[in-house]
Amino acid sequence: MTAAYDALLVDPRASLGWLIEFTAHNVATDLDETVRLSTFGFTSEPSDTPANEPYEARVKSALNFERHMYRRGGRIGRSSQPSFGEIVLVNLDRALTKYTNPAQYLIRGRKVTAMLGGTEDYALVDFGTPLKEGRVKDFVARNGQLRLLIRDLQELFERAVQPNKYAGTGGNEGGAELKDKNKPIGYGDIFNCPGVPIDPANGVWQLHDGKIKSLKAVRDKGLVKTLTTDYTVDLNTGLVTLLFTPTDVRFDFEGDNTGSVYVESFADILERVVEAITGLTVNSTAVTTMNTANSAPCNYWCGTEKISIRQMLDDLADGPGAFFGDNFNAQVDLGRLEAPSGTPAIEFFGNQGIASGNVNNILAGTLEPVATVEPCHTLRQAYQRNWGVQSRDSLDASVSEADKDKYSTEWRFKSDSDATVLDDYPEAKEQTWYGGFSNAADADTESQRKFALYKVAQEVFKFTARAIPFKLGINDVIKITHTDHNLSTGKLFRVLGLAIDADSRKVEVWVWRPST
């Protein structure tokens, strides 16, 4: 960001100008074209890139959107929330109507960029990019307007984790029953996996579509088999060949080892999956920060049924209490929800009006509490998922009772509890968190951390403020000082959500802190 752009964001009286670019695929030429529009009429300079390009004044409403750390309506710290918004364009002369005709142009799923700057003596290079890259999800053309419905790049997370499918032609491509089924993918230390019998007549099972780090154990009816005598393994293809006739076979293995680099932390798995399948870039600084906070080994296995990237990452994020999403800068961010601390990015006061600099004012009457779940008196953290649960009756009689418990139970748990919580909160509940932790010690550590956060009341508020909406980001720490809600001495909060109205320069903010 330039100094001119930073100054613009904190000046409540500045005249703002928007530039919008979206990609339209010309069906006739089979080429992509960039459509350039603005709120005020703008032409780039000869020295700009692109040079001498007009941005026609057709933007009526630029970049109204919402972003949330988690899906609203449930407990804090659960599924991720894709961002959404819209851009409204003037189309009284119907000059933009051609972009809505799929026989002429295709715009759904294609790139859109929103740039913000001043309207006078402002060079293209000085414009900031609150939305560096989004996607046109859909459009509505009526009443002399073209509305572009925008989604962030997290839309790409609906793709399958397993990119390849079986051809069903026999051998390593499986029989007819596997045609068009997904090839399995595994990350981390997978326990008691059933694998996929791709050529059972020849004893061939597939654990992972690609290179794995190791095969730790093969068991049939709970009895351990011997390498070479009972089975062979090809670590480069994730294929196991059984040299016996199985009854109820299971496998323990360490999964994806692409490029001989094995990954098993939540952050490292996210980075590999997202970049390999979507082509998006993951914020490397955020990966390092997340690994510093929690680098515990995790695991996840996807069989032949489609598992979306979003579903897998949501499931895994439940372990370390993490979040992830598009940061609107053409990158994927991630982090962990923690109690707010440190120096606030912005300080808000409960006085009506507009302020500049690092101080902002909450509009009168807009600060209000948001309902959330009751505190918990017990928190259970799952670990060592059993990917192929077996009935005790299917196991050999010689298998120990302890092992029968392991092989017949889907999850193991560590827990923390405090009965005195019920004294203050009679409606307190038990919380269960899943995720993908491989080890008991890591689950125990995380159970203690989460319990400290969630055994107390959750203070969640929303409010509306003016100015500097684009200075705020998800997970930022802010400070609120207000005469209401016991905030007179000021408290720190974390930003959970933002709803920005670019035209009015208002932002609705959702914030959270554990009560102390």
Side-chain angles (χ1 to χ4, degrees), residues 16-293:
L16 300 183
W18 285 89
L19 307 181
I20 302 296
E21 297 180 350
F22 68 88
T23 299
H25 183 77
N26 189 316
V27 175
T29 65
D30 197 27
L31 296 173
D32 285 344
E33 300 175 6
T34 300
V35 182
R36 296 183 172 91
L37 306 170
S38 69
T39 54
F40 62 104
F42 178 83
T43 301
S44 61
E45 298 293 330
S47 58
D48 287 329
T49 302
N52 304 313
E53 283 287 344
Y55 289 73
E56 189 178 0
R58 285 185 175 271
V59 180
K60 180 180 180 181
S61 179
L63 200 59
N64 298 324
F65 69 89
E66 286 197 34
R67 297 184 65 194
H68 293 276
M69 184 185 290
Y70 299 109
R71 295 179 191 271
R72 289 183 289 166
R75 78 179 186 209
I76 295 171
R78 219 63 197 265
S79 298
S80 60
Q81 172 69 65
S83 304
F84 59 92
E86 72 171 12
I87 295 170
V88 182
L89 307 176
V90 176
N91 190 34
L92 291 171
D93 60 358
R94 299 180 59 81
L96 301 179
T97 303
K98 62 185 179 182
Y99 298 116
T100 69
N101 183 353
Q104 293 180 277
Y105 284 92
L106 303 174
I107 63 173
R108 286 188 178 93
R110 285 172 167 77
K111 179 179 177 180
V112 59
T113 298
M115 295 173 280
L116 174 63
T119 58
E120 297 180 4
D121 301 323
Y122 221 78
L124 184 60
V125 70
D126 291 326
F127 277 76
T129 51
L131 176 62
K132 187 172 183 178
E133 184 173 345
R135 289 287 188 272
V136 177
K137 175 69 173 179
D138 207 345
F139 54 81
V140 177
R142 64 169 176 259
N143 300 327
Q145 295 179 346
L146 175 60
R147 293 177 177 267
L148 300 181
L149 307 181
I150 308 302
R151 295 294 183 269
D152 68 17
L153 298 178
Q154 206 170 322
E155 286 284 305
L156 299 177
F157 287 12
E158 295 308 314
R159 294 179 180 177
V161 175
Q162 320 101 301
N164 300 319
K165 297 178 183 291
Y166 289 109
T169 54
N172 291 347
E173 285 298 324
E177 73 283 357
L178 287 177
K179 179 176 171 57
D180 295 328
K181 294 282 189 179
N182 297 92
K183 293 186 176 182
I185 293 289
Y187 290 92
D189 194 349
I190 310 295
F191 172 69
N192 216 41
C193 174
V196 178
I198 59 173
D199 186 6
N202 291 304
V204 182
W205 262 247
Q206 186 160 33
L207 308 181
H208 174 80
D209 181 25
K211 188 174 184 178
I212 62 175
K213 182 181 179 183
S214 72
L215 178 60
K216 299 171 66 176
V218 176
R219 292 180 297 275
D220 192 52
K221 298 181 64 177
L223 299 178
V224 176
K225 297 298 182 178
T226 303
L227 178 64
T228 306
T229 302
D230 296 316
Y231 65 91
T232 61
V233 58
D234 184 346
L235 296 180
N236 289 316
T237 60
L239 296 176
V240 180
T241 301
L242 304 180
L243 306 178
F244 64 94
T245 301
T247 301
D248 193 12
V249 68
R250 294 294 187 271
F251 308 88
D252 298 345
F253 71 100
E254 293 176 299
D256 187 71
N257 196 34
T258 300
S260 298
V261 178
Y262 176 67
V263 294
E264 58 180 346
S265 73
F266 166 71
D268 290 341
I269 292 173
L270 179 148
E271 183 178 38
R272 175 162 294 179
V273 170
V274 169
E275 293 192 347
I277 299 175
T278 71
L280 299 176
T281 299
V282 178
N283 184 339
S284 59
T285 300
V287 170
T288 300
T289 301
M290 184 66 214
N291 275 330
T292 300

Side-chain angles (χ1 to χ4, degrees), residues 36-37 71 74 91 95 106 134 167 176 225 242 280 324 327 380 384 441 448 455 472 478 480-481 494 514:
R36 296 183 172 91
L37 306 170
R71 295 179 191 271
N91 190 34
L106 303 174
K225 297 298 182 178
L242 304 180
L280 299 176
F324 59 91
N327 66 4
R380 301 197 311 157
Q384 198 184 63
Q448 294 176 42
K455 72 177 183 178
L472 273 177
I478 66 169
I480 298 177
T481 304
R494 284 205 181 270

